[in-house]
Coordinates of all heavy atoms in Angstrom, one line a residue:
M501 N -59.8 6.8 -1.6 CA -58.7 7.5 -1.0 C -57.8 6.4 -0.4 O -58.3 5.6 0.4 CB -59.1 8.5 0.0 CG -58.0 9.3 0.6 SD -58.7 10.6 1.6 CE -57.3 11.7 1.6
S502 N -56.5 6.5 -0.7 CA -55.6 5.4 -0.2 C -55.1 5.9 1.2 O -55.1 7.0 1.5 CB -54.5 5.2 -1.1 OG -53.7 6.4 -1.2
T503 N -54.7 4.8 1.9 CA -54.2 5.1 3.3 C -52.7 5.4 3.2 O -52.0 4.8 2.4 CB -54.4 4.0 4.2 OG1 -53.8 2.8 3.6 CG2 -55.9 3.6 4.4
P504 N -52.3 6.4 3.9 CA -50.8 6.7 3.9 C -50.0 5.5 4.4 O -50.5 4.8 5.2 CB -50.7 7.9 4.7 CG -51.9 7.9 5.6 CD -53.0 7.2 4.9
A505 N -48.8 5.4 3.8 CA -47.9 4.4 4.3 C -47.5 4.6 5.7 O -47.5 5.7 6.2 CB -46.7 4.4 3.4
A506 N -47.3 3.5 6.4 CA -46.9 3.7 7.8 C -45.6 4.4 7.9 O -44.6 4.1 7.1 CB -46.7 2.3 8.4
V507 N -45.6 5.4 8.7 CA -44.4 6.2 8.9 C -43.8 5.9 10.3 O -44.6 6.0 11.3 CB -44.7 7.7 8.7 CG1 -43.4 8.5 9.0 CG2 -45.2 8.0 7.4
E508 N -42.6 5.5 10.3 CA -42.0 5.2 11.6 C -41.8 6.5 12.3 O -41.4 7.5 11.7 CB -40.7 4.4 11.5 CG -41.0 3.0 10.9 CD -39.7 2.2 10.9 OE1 -38.8 2.5 11.7 OE2 -39.7 1.2 10.2
P509 N -41.9 6.5 13.6 CA -41.6 7.8 14.3 C -40.2 8.2 14.2 O -39.3 7.3 14.3 CB -42.0 7.4 15.8 CG -42.0 6.0 15.8 CD -42.3 5.5 14.5
R510 N -39.9 9.4 14.1 CA -38.6 9.9 14.0 C -37.9 9.8 15.3 O -38.5 10.2 16.3 CB -38.5 11.3 13.4 CG -39.0 11.3 12.0 CD -38.8 12.7 11.4 NE -39.3 12.7 10.1 CZ -38.5 13.1 9.1 NH1 -37.3 13.5 9.3 NH2 -39.0 13.0 7.8
T511 N -36.7 9.4 15.3 CA -35.9 9.4 16.5 C -34.7 10.3 16.4 O -34.3 10.7 15.2 CB -35.4 8.0 16.9 OG1 -34.6 7.5 15.8 CG2 -36.6 7.0 17.1
A512 N -34.2 10.8 17.4 CA -33.0 11.6 17.4 C -31.8 10.9 16.8 O -31.7 9.7 17.1 CB -32.7 12.1 18.8
P513 N -31.0 11.5 16.0 CA -29.9 10.8 15.4 C -28.9 10.4 16.5 O -28.7 11.1 17.5 CB -29.3 11.8 14.5 CG -29.8 13.1 14.9 CD -31.1 12.9 15.5
T514 N -28.4 9.2 16.4 CA -27.4 8.7 17.4 C -26.0 9.1 16.9 O -25.8 9.1 15.7 CB -27.5 7.2 17.5 OG1 -27.3 6.6 16.3 CG2 -28.9 6.8 18.1
T515 N -25.2 9.4 17.8 CA -23.8 9.7 17.5 C -23.0 8.4 17.7 O -23.2 7.7 18.6 CB -23.2 10.8 18.3 OG1 -23.4 10.4 19.7 CG2 -24.0 12.1 18.1
V516 N -22.1 8.2 16.7 CA -21.2 7.1 16.8 C -19.8 7.6 17.0 O -19.3 8.4 16.2 CB -21.3 6.2 15.5 CG1 -20.3 5.1 15.5 CG2 -22.7 5.7 15.2
P517 N -19.2 7.2 18.0 CA -17.8 7.7 18.2 C -16.8 7.2 17.2 O -16.9 6.0 16.8 CB -17.4 7.1 19.6 CG -18.3 5.9 19.8 CD -19.6 6.2 19.0
V518 N -16.0 8.1 16.7 CA -15.0 7.7 15.7 C -13.8 7.1 16.5 O -13.3 7.7 17.5 CB -14.5 9.0 15.0 CG1 -13.4 8.6 14.0 CG2 -15.7 9.6 14.3
P519 N -13.4 5.9 16.0 CA -12.2 5.3 16.7 C -11.0 6.1 16.5 O -10.7 6.5 15.3 CB -12.1 3.9 16.0 CG -12.9 4.0 14.8 CD -13.9 5.1 14.9
V520 N -10.3 6.4 17.5 CA -9.0 7.1 17.4 C -7.9 6.2 17.7 O -7.9 5.4 18.6 CB -9.0 8.3 18.5 CG1 -7.7 9.0 18.4 CG2 -10.2 9.2 18.2
V521 N -6.9 6.2 16.7 CA -5.8 5.3 16.8 C -4.6 6.2 17.1 O -4.3 7.2 16.4 CB -5.5 4.5 15.6 CG1 -4.3 3.6 15.7 CG2 -6.8 3.7 15.2
S522 N -3.9 5.9 18.1 CA -2.7 6.7 18.5 C -1.5 6.4 17.5 O -1.5 5.4 16.8 CB -2.2 6.4 19.9 OG -1.8 5.1 20.0
L523 N -0.6 7.3 17.5 CA 0.6 7.1 16.6 C 1.4 5.9 17.0 O 1.9 5.2 16.2 CB 1.4 8.4 16.6 CG 0.9 9.6 15.9 CD1 1.8 10.8 16.1 CD2 0.6 9.3 14.5
R524 N 1.4 5.7 18.3 CA 2.1 4.5 18.8 C 1.4 3.2 18.4 O 2.0 2.2 18.1 CB 2.2 4.5 20.3 CG 3.0 3.4 20.9 CD 3.1 3.5 22.4 NE 3.9 4.6 22.8 CZ 5.2 4.5 23.0 NH1 5.8 3.4 22.9 NH2 5.9 5.6 23.4
G525 N 0.1 3.3 18.2 CA -0.7 2.1 17.8 C -0.4 1.8 16.3 O -0.6 0.7 15.8
L526 N -0.1 2.9 15.5 CA 0.2 2.7 14.1 C 1.6 2.3 13.8 O 1.9 2.0 12.7 CB -0.2 4.0 13.4 CG -1.6 4.4 13.3 CD1 -1.8 5.8 12.6 CD2 -2.4 3.4 12.5
L527 N 2.5 2.4 14.8 CA 3.9 2.1 14.6 C 4.2 0.8 13.9 O 5.0 0.8 12.9 CB 4.6 2.2 15.9 CG 6.2 2.1 15.8 CD1 6.7 3.3 14.9 CD2 6.8 2.1 17.2
P528 N 3.6 -0.3 14.3 CA 3.9 -1.6 13.6 C 3.5 -1.5 12.1 O 4.2 -2.1 11.2 CB 3.0 -2.6 14.3 CG 2.7 -2.0 15.6 CD 2.7 -0.6 15.4
Y529 N 2.4 -0.8 11.8 CA 2.0 -0.7 10.4 C 3.0 0.1 9.6 O 3.2 -0.2 8.4 CB 0.6 -0.2 10.3 CG -0.4 -1.1 11.0 CD1 -0.9 -0.7 12.2 CD2 -0.9 -2.2 10.4 CE1 -1.8 -1.6 12.9 CE2 -1.8 -3.1 11.0 CZ -2.2 -2.7 12.3 OH -3.1 -3.5 12.9
W530 N 3.4 1.2 10.2 CA 4.4 2.0 9.5 C 5.7 1.3 9.3 O 6.4 1.4 8.2 CB 4.7 3.3 10.3 CG 3.6 4.3 10.2 CD1 2.8 4.7 11.2 CD2 3.3 5.1 9.0 NE1 1.9 5.7 10.7 CE2 2.2 5.9 9.4 CE3 3.8 5.1 7.7 CZ2 1.6 6.8 8.4 CZ3 3.2 6.0 6.8 CH2 2.2 6.8 7.2
I531 N 6.2 0.5 10.2 CA 7.4 -0.3 10.1 C 7.2 -1.4 9.0 O 8.1 -1.5 8.1 CB 7.8 -1.0 11.4 CG1 8.2 0.1 12.4 CG2 8.8 -2.1 11.2 CD1 8.5 -0.5 13.8
F532 N 6.0 -2.0 9.0 CA 5.8 -3.0 7.9 C 5.7 -2.3 6.5 O 6.3 -2.8 5.6 CB 4.5 -3.7 8.2 CG 4.1 -4.7 7.1 CD1 4.7 -5.9 7.0 CD2 3.0 -4.4 6.2 CE1 4.4 -6.8 6.0 CE2 2.7 -5.3 5.2 CZ 3.4 -6.5 5.1
A533 N 5.1 -1.2 6.4 CA 5.0 -0.5 5.2 C 6.4 0.0 4.7 O 6.7 -0.1 3.5 CB 4.1 0.7 5.3
G534 N 7.2 0.4 5.7 CA 8.6 0.8 5.3 C 9.4 -0.4 4.8 O 10.2 -0.2 3.8
I535 N 9.3 -1.5 5.4 CA 10.0 -2.7 5.0 C 9.6 -3.1 3.5 O 10.4 -3.4 2.7 CB 9.8 -3.9 5.9 CG1 10.6 -3.6 7.2 CG2 10.3 -5.2 5.3 CD1 10.3 -4.6 8.4
V536 N 8.3 -3.1 3.3 CA 7.8 -3.5 2.0 C 8.2 -2.4 1.0 O 8.6 -2.8 -0.2 CB 6.2 -3.6 2.0 CG1 5.6 -3.7 0.6 CG2 5.8 -4.7 2.9
L537 N 8.2 -1.2 1.3 CA 8.7 -0.1 0.4 C 10.1 -0.3 0.1 O 10.5 -0.1 -1.1 CB 8.4 1.3 1.0 CG 8.7 2.4 0.1 CD1 7.9 2.4 -1.2 CD2 8.5 3.7 0.8
M538 N 10.9 -0.6 1.1 CA 12.4 -0.7 0.9 C 12.7 -1.9 0.0 O 13.6 -1.9 -0.9 CB 13.1 -0.8 2.2 CG 13.1 0.5 2.9 SD 13.9 0.5 4.5 CE 15.6 0.3 4.1
L539 N 11.9 -3.0 0.2 CA 12.1 -4.2 -0.7 C 11.7 -3.9 -2.1 O 12.4 -4.3 -3.0 CB 11.2 -5.4 -0.1 CG 11.8 -6.1 1.0 CD1 10.8 -7.2 1.5 CD2 13.1 -6.8 0.6
A540 N 10.6 -3.1 -2.3 CA 10.2 -2.7 -3.6 C 11.2 -1.9 -4.3 O 11.6 -2.1 -5.5 CB 8.8 -2.0 -3.6
I541 N 11.8 -0.9 -3.6 CA 12.8 -0.1 -4.1 C 14.1 -0.9 -4.5 O 14.7 -0.7 -5.5 CB 13.2 1.1 -3.2 CG1 12.0 2.1 -3.1 CG2 14.5 1.8 -3.6 CD1 12.2 3.2 -2.1
Y542 N 14.4 -1.9 -3.6 CA 15.6 -2.7 -3.9 C 15.3 -3.5 -5.2 O 16.2 -3.5 -6.1 CB 15.9 -3.7 -2.8 CG 16.9 -4.7 -3.2 CD1 18.2 -4.4 -3.3 CD2 16.5 -6.0 -3.6 CE1 19.1 -5.3 -3.8 CE2 17.4 -6.9 -4.1 CZ 18.7 -6.6 -4.2 OH 19.6 -7.5 -4.7
F543 N 14.2 -4.1 -5.3 CA 13.9 -5.0 -6.5 C 13.8 -4.2 -7.8 O 14.2 -4.6 -8.8 CB 12.7 -5.9 -6.3 CG 13.0 -7.1 -5.5 CD1 12.4 -7.2 -4.2 CD2 13.8 -8.1 -5.9 CE1 12.7 -8.3 -3.4 CE2 14.1 -9.2 -5.1 CZ 13.6 -9.3 -3.9
V544 N 13.3 -2.9 -7.7 CA 13.2 -2.1 -8.9 C 14.5 -1.5 -9.2 O 14.9 -1.4 -10.4 CB 12.1 -1.0 -8.6 CG1 12.2 0.0 -9.8 CG2 10.7 -1.6 -8.5
G545 N 15.3 -1.1 -8.2 CA 16.5 -0.3 -8.5 C 17.8 -1.0 -8.5 O 18.7 -0.6 -9.1
A546 N 17.9 -2.2 -7.8 CA 19.2 -2.7 -7.6 C 19.3 -4.2 -7.9 O 20.3 -4.8 -7.8 CB 19.7 -2.5 -6.2
E547 N 18.2 -4.9 -8.2 CA 18.2 -6.3 -8.5 C 18.6 -6.6 -9.9 O 17.9 -6.8 -10.8 CB 16.7 -6.9 -8.3 CG 16.5 -8.3 -8.6 CD 17.3 -9.3 -7.7 OE1 17.7 -8.9 -6.6 OE2 17.5 -10.4 -8.2
E548 N 19.9 -6.5 -10.0 CA 20.5 -6.7 -11.3 C 22.0 -7.0 -11.2 O 22.7 -6.4 -10.4 CB 20.3 -5.5 -12.2 CG 20.8 -5.7 -13.6 CD 20.6 -4.4 -14.5 OE1 20.3 -3.4 -13.9 OE2 20.7 -4.5 -15.7
G549 N 22.5 -7.9 -12.0 CA 24.0 -8.1 -12.0 C 24.6 -8.6 -10.7 O 24.1 -9.5 -10.1
A550 N 25.6 -7.9 -10.2 CA 26.3 -8.3 -9.1 C 25.5 -8.2 -7.8 O 25.8 -8.9 -6.8 CB 27.6 -7.5 -8.9
T551 N 24.5 -7.3 -7.8 CA 23.7 -7.1 -6.6 C 22.4 -8.0 -6.6 O 21.6 -7.8 -5.7 CB 23.3 -5.7 -6.4 OG1 22.5 -5.3 -7.5 CG2 24.5 -4.8 -6.2
S552 N 22.3 -8.9 -7.5 CA 21.1 -9.6 -7.6 C 21.0 -10.7 -6.6 O 22.0 -11.4 -6.3 CB 20.9 -10.2 -9.0 OG 21.9 -11.2 -9.2
V553 N 19.8 -10.9 -6.0 CA 19.6 -12.0 -5.1 C 19.2 -13.2 -5.8 O 19.7 -14.3 -5.5 CB 18.5 -11.6 -4.1 CG1 18.1 -12.7 -3.2 CG2 18.9 -10.4 -3.3
F554 N 18.4 -13.1 -6.8 CA 17.9 -14.2 -7.6 C 18.7 -14.3 -8.9 O 18.9 -13.3 -9.6 CB 16.4 -14.1 -7.9 CG 15.6 -14.0 -6.7 CD1 15.0 -12.8 -6.3 CD2 15.4 -15.2 -5.9 CE1 14.2 -12.8 -5.1 CE2 14.6 -15.1 -4.8 CZ 14.0 -13.9 -4.4
A555 N 19.2 -15.5 -9.3 CA 19.9 -15.7 -10.5 C 19.0 -15.5 -11.7 O 17.8 -15.7 -11.6 CB 20.5 -17.1 -10.5
G556 N 19.6 -15.1 -12.8 CA 18.8 -14.8 -14.0 C 18.3 -13.4 -14.0 O 18.6 -12.6 -13.1
S557 N 17.5 -13.1 -15.0 CA 17.0 -11.8 -15.2 C 15.5 -11.7 -15.1 O 14.9 -10.8 -15.6 CB 17.4 -11.2 -16.5 OG 16.9 -12.0 -17.6
N558 N 14.9 -12.7 -14.5 CA 13.4 -12.7 -14.4 C 12.9 -11.6 -13.6 O 11.9 -10.9 -14.0 CB 12.9 -14.1 -13.8 CG 13.1 -15.2 -14.8 OD1 13.2 -15.0 -16.0 ND2 13.3 -16.4 -14.2
V559 N 13.5 -11.3 -12.4 CA 13.0 -10.2 -11.6 C 13.2 -8.9 -12.2 O 12.4 -8.0 -12.2 CB 13.7 -10.3 -10.2 CG1 13.3 -9.1 -9.3 CG2 13.3 -11.6 -9.5
H560 N 14.4 -8.8 -12.9 CA 14.7 -7.5 -13.6 C 13.7 -7.3 -14.7 O 13.2 -6.1 -14.8 CB 16.1 -7.6 -14.2 CG 16.5 -6.4 -15.0 ND1 16.9 -5.3 -14.4 CD2 16.4 -6.2 -16.3 CE1 17.2 -4.4 -15.4 NE2 16.9 -5.0 -16.6
E561 N 13.4 -8.3 -15.4 CA 12.4 -8.1 -16.5 C 11.0 -7.8 -16.0 O 10.3 -7.1 -16.6 CB 12.4 -9.3 -17.4 CG 13.7 -9.6 -18.2 CD 14.0 -8.4 -19.1 OE1 13.1 -7.7 -19.6 OE2 15.2 -8.1 -19.2
L562 N 10.7 -8.4 -14.8 CA 9.4 -8.1 -14.2 C 9.2 -6.7 -13.8 O 8.1 -6.1 -14.0 CB 9.2 -9.1 -13.0 CG 7.8 -9.0 -12.3 CD1 6.7 -9.5 -13.2 CD2 7.9 -9.7 -11.0
V563 N 10.2 -6.1 -13.3 CA 10.1 -4.7 -12.8 C 10.8 -3.7 -13.8 O 11.0 -2.6 -13.4 CB 10.7 -4.5 -11.4 CG1 9.9 -5.4 -10.4 CG2 12.2 -4.9 -11.4
H564 N 11.0 -4.1 -15.0 CA 11.8 -3.3 -15.9 C 11.1 -2.0 -16.3 O 11.7 -0.9 -16.3 CB 12.0 -4.1 -17.2 CG 13.0 -3.5 -18.1 ND1 12.6 -2.9 -19.4 CD2 14.3 -3.3 -18.0 CE1 13.7 -2.4 -19.9 NE2 14.7 -2.6 -19.1
D565 N 9.8 -2.0 -16.5 CA 9.1 -0.7 -16.8 C 9.1 0.2 -15.6 O 9.2 1.4 -15.8 CB 7.7 -1.0 -17.2 CG 7.6 -1.7 -18.6 OD1 8.6 -1.6 -19.3 OD2 6.6 -2.3 -18.9
A566 N 8.9 -0.3 -14.4 CA 9.0 0.5 -13.2 C 10.4 1.1 -13.0 O 10.5 2.3 -12.6 CB 8.6 -0.3 -12.0
R567 N 11.4 0.4 -13.4 CA 12.8 0.9 -13.3 C 12.9 2.1 -14.2 O 13.4 3.1 -13.8 CB 13.7 -0.2 -13.8 CG 15.2 0.2 -13.9 CD 16.0 -0.9 -14.4 NE 16.0 -2.0 -13.5 CZ 17.0 -2.3 -12.6 NH1 18.1 -1.5 -12.7 NH2 17.0 -3.3 -11.8
H568 N 12.4 2.0 -15.4 CA 12.5 3.2 -16.3 C 11.6 4.3 -15.9 O 12.0 5.5 -16.0 CB 12.2 2.7 -17.8 CG 13.3 2.0 -18.4 ND1 14.4 2.6 -19.0 CD2 13.5 0.7 -18.6 CE1 15.2 1.7 -19.5 NE2 14.7 0.5 -19.3
L569 N 10.5 4.0 -15.4 CA 9.5 5.0 -14.9 C 10.1 5.8 -13.8 O 10.0 7.0 -13.7 CB 8.2 4.4 -14.5 CG 7.2 5.3 -14.0 CD1 6.6 6.2 -15.1 CD2 6.0 4.5 -13.3
L570 N 10.9 5.2 -12.9 CA 11.4 5.9 -11.7 C 12.8 6.4 -12.0 O 13.4 7.1 -11.2 CB 11.5 4.9 -10.5 CG 10.1 4.4 -10.0 CD1 10.3 3.4 -9.0 CD2 9.3 5.6 -9.6
G571 N 13.3 6.2 -13.2 CA 14.6 6.8 -13.6 C 15.8 6.1 -13.2 O 16.9 6.7 -13.1
F572 N 15.7 4.9 -12.8 CA 16.9 4.1 -12.4 C 17.7 3.8 -13.7 O 17.0 3.4 -14.7 CB 16.6 2.8 -11.7 CG 16.1 3.0 -10.3 CD1 14.8 3.1 -9.9 CD2 17.1 3.2 -9.3 CE1 14.4 3.3 -8.6 CE2 16.7 3.4 -8.0 CZ 15.4 3.5 -7.6
P573 N 19.0 3.8 -13.7 CA 19.7 3.4 -14.9 C 19.6 1.9 -15.2 O 19.5 1.1 -14.3 CB 21.2 3.8 -14.5 CG 21.2 3.8 -13.1 CD 19.9 4.2 -12.6
C574 N 19.5 1.6 -16.4 CA 19.2 0.2 -16.8 C 20.2 -0.2 -17.9 O 21.1 -0.9 -17.7 CB 17.8 0.1 -17.2 SG 17.3 -1.6 -17.5
H575 N 19.9 0.3 -19.1 CA 20.7 -0.1 -20.3 C 20.8 1.0 -21.2 O 20.3 2.0 -21.1 CB 20.0 -1.3 -21.0 CG 18.6 -1.1 -21.3 ND1 18.2 -0.6 -22.5 CD2 17.5 -1.4 -20.6 CE1 16.8 -0.5 -22.5 NE2 16.4 -1.0 -21.3
Ligands
ZN604 ZN1 15.8 -1.0 -19.3

């Protein structure tokens, strides 16, 4: 007859407090996300021709499929 494996004594489950972040604490992240989103919308929607920041059409070609996917006029 084999001996049973050692069983550790059961202990009561411990509770771990969930960290709560206030809306004011999230404000810098929301601002950063908004800036990144606005830059993305600019480069997808308006980086072309007279409104282009970078010369040439490299940025336009890079985001060309996204432009059509989002319904921005292109060609
Ligand atoms: Zn196009």
Side-chain angles (χ1 to χ4, degrees):
M501 182 170 202
S502 65
T503 57
V507 178
E508 294 187 20
R510 293 183 180 240
T511 58
T514 58
T515 57
V516 177
V518 176
V520 177
V521 179
S522 66
L523 290 178
R524 183 177 293 270
L526 289 176
L527 186 62
Y529 299 101
W530 283 110
I531 291 174
F532 177 73
I535 290 171
V536 169
L537 182 64
M538 291 175 73
L539 281 174
I541 289 174
Y542 169 76
F543 280 113
V544 170
E547 173 67 18
E548 182 182 15
T551 60
S552 66
V553 174
F554 300 104
S557 61
N558 291 336
V559 175
H560 176 82
E561 295 300 328
L562 182 68
V563 297
H564 191 247
D565 290 341
R567 173 184 295 258
H568 283 279
L569 178 69
L570 296 175
F572 285 99
C574 185
H575 52 90

